[in-house]
């Protein structure tokens, strides 16, 4: 699971450099028993044409995944600038706290896992710069990526 989160974080950082920030970029597990995760993305810069948006994101994020990473991946769910809900607001708060360093990884794998008590999800893993900072190959790029934000 960690490898999937790191790979997605790296790809998401590149997308942010090209297009602007995400409001939300996280993996969500629907129930505690699930082993697969949904990738939730919310951005103001998303194309209003959902088909075009999904095609672009699939090419950039999902197609490069290989092997075991795909065992943990379930679906990609995107939300555009006009979308808003209690669920998205909760995820946006978690994302903001994660991006500003309010969470500290509890486990040895560097992932921050946050319980979420909503009907549609039980656990959230925010993605982004703090996670790839623990990946030695990505450390060199962090100042460049941070400047692009």
């Amino acid at each position: 699971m960690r490898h999937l989160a790191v790979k997605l974080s790296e790809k998401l950082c590149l997308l942010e450099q090209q297009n602007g920030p995400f409001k939300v970029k996280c993996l969500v597990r629907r129930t505690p028993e699930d082993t697969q995760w949904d990738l939730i993305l919310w951005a103001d810069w998303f194309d209003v044409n959902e088909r075009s948006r999904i095609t672009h994101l699939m090419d950039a994020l999902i197609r490069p995944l290989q092997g075991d990473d795909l065992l943990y991946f379930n679906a990609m769910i995107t939300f555009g600038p006009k979308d808003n809900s209690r669920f998205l607001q909760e995820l946006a708060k978690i994302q903001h706290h994660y991006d500003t360093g309010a969470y500290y990884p509890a486990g040895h794998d560097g992932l921050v896992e946050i319980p979420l008590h909503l009907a549609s999800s039980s656990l959230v893993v925010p993605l982004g710069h703090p996670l790839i900072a623990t990946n030695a190959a990505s450390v060199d790029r962090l100042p460049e990526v941070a400047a692009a934000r």
Side-chain angles (χ1 to χ4, degrees), residues 53-70:
R53 174 192 327 167
I54 296 293
T55 300
H56 173 69
L57 292 170
M58 286 293 291
D59 289 343
L61 299 171
I62 308 307
R63 291 199 204 307
L65 296 177
Q66 298 175 3
D68 289 346
D69 294 335
L70 293 173

Side-chain angles (χ1 to χ4, degrees), residues 38-58:
D38 294 338
L39 174 62
I40 308 290
L41 301 172
W42 185 22
D44 286 335
W45 54 265
F46 278 162
D47 190 326
V48 293
N49 179 327
E50 190 172 5
R51 182 180 211 138
S52 173
R53 174 192 327 167
I54 296 293
T55 300
H56 173 69
L57 292 170
M58 286 293 291

